[in-house]
Amino acid sequence: MDSPFWIYCIGFSAQIFYTGRVLVQWYLSEKHHRVESPGAFWVLSIIGSMILFVYGILRQDFSIIFGELLSYYIYMWNISAKGLYTRVPRIVPVLQALLPVVACALLFKDIPGFAQNFLRNEDVPLKLLILGTAGQFIYKMRFVYQWIYSVRRKESVLPLAFWAIAVTGSLLIIIYGIIRHDWVLVLGQFGIIASIRNIIIALSADKENEKVS
């Protein structure tokens, strides 16, 4: 289950970006007394996602790869909704969009080899793989919900249910990470604290709005 130290360094570097997004979003939400969806949150998310995707490949962990693919293009949509792509050369979003496609093409060019390394990995028994994948699925589905909600609102927002889903997924990922001795995943769920705090902020803001109305 253990990997060379340099692989963990890649994983922790991804979590630095993910932790950064949590801290930025949390700080702004506390400052304004409402749940914020800052552009920096989405920029740090996509950088962290690209690095963690590489980490998942090196760890031969299907659940990580699956999870990052679920949310990657939603990060791009939010960056676009914030108007941030207008500030960079057009080639940047094009390359970002192509990156997972190229990576998956390389991974799946040898289907039997992929199945052997990622789906029948001796270090990740089937039950554990299902647990990890379920955790990633629930955790990342919060972004699918956020995307649908934001499209309907025609703006990038982080609704209350987003944080509730995050807490549920985080707990499953923590359990999976502990069983698999993957402290990158375990420590990366530091964001569960911010998720709980955002739930409290959102509920408090709703109460204040009710008083005003």
Side-chain angles (χ1 to χ4, degrees):
M1 288 189 181
D2 293 326
S3 298
F5 178 72
W6 66 271
I7 292 180
Y8 287 116
C9 286
I10 292 175
F12 281 120
S13 66
Q15 296 298 358
I16 288 174
F17 287 99
Y18 275 149
T19 300
R21 76 174 179 182
V22 169
L23 295 177
V24 169
Q25 189 279 330
W26 189 359
Y27 168 76
L28 291 175
S29 296
E30 295 284 1
K31 181 179 179 180
H32 298 134
H33 305 289
R34 64 176 184 269
V35 176
E36 296 285 352
S37 173
F41 178 88
W42 302 107
V43 173
L44 292 171
S45 291
I46 201 164
I47 296 173
S49 182
M50 288 187 287
I51 300 174
L52 198 62
F53 186 86
V54 173
Y55 173 74
I57 293 174
L58 294 174
R59 281 279 286 174
Q60 296 185 339
D61 194 320
F62 174 78
S63 68
I64 295 176
I65 295 172
F66 174 73
E68 295 312 310
L69 285 175
L70 272 179
S71 57
Y72 184 86
Y73 290 105
I74 295 175
Y75 297 153
M76 289 192 66
W77 181 88
N78 280 279
I79 292 173
S80 178
K82 291 289 183 180
L84 299 180
Y85 280 132
T86 61
R87 305 179 187 179
V88 297
R90 291 184 180 181
I91 190 65
V92 172
V94 172
L95 291 177
Q96 285 182 342
L98 289 175
L99 186 60
V101 176
V102 173
C104 287
L106 293 174
L107 277 175
F108 299 143
K109 69 177 182 179
D110 179 11
I111 298 297
F114 175 84
Q116 181 63 42
N117 293 329
F118 289 88
L119 302 180
R120 294 194 292 269
N121 189 337
E122 293 181 357
D123 290 336
V124 190
L126 181 59
K127 291 182 180 179
L128 183 57
L129 178 63
I130 293 173
L131 172 64
T133 304
Q136 290 286 352
F137 178 76
I138 293 172
Y139 191 63
K140 296 298 183 176
M141 278 302 291
R142 77 196 200 277
F143 286 108
V144 176
Y145 174 82
Q146 182 273 336
W147 172 66
I148 295 172
Y149 187 94
S150 296
V151 168
R152 290 176 177 174
R153 290 280 299 270
K154 298 181 180 180
E155 62 175 330
S156 174
V157 293
L158 293 169
L160 175 61
F162 173 90
W163 305 106
I165 297 170
V167 171
T168 304
S170 285
L171 291 174
L172 290 176
I173 292 173
I174 289 171
I175 295 171
Y176 172 76
I178 291 174
I179 295 174
R180 199 173 176 219
H181 302 166
D182 193 329
W183 307 114
V184 170
L185 292 180
V186 175
L187 295 177
Q189 296 311 307
F190 152 80
I192 193 174
I193 300 172
S195 295
I196 294 171
R197 180 56 186 158
N198 272 285
I199 291 173
I200 295 171
I201 293 173
L203 292 175
S204 298
D206 287 344
K207 288 182 180 179
E208 288 298 322
N209 292 333
E210 288 177 3
K211 289 180 181 178
V212 172
S213 59

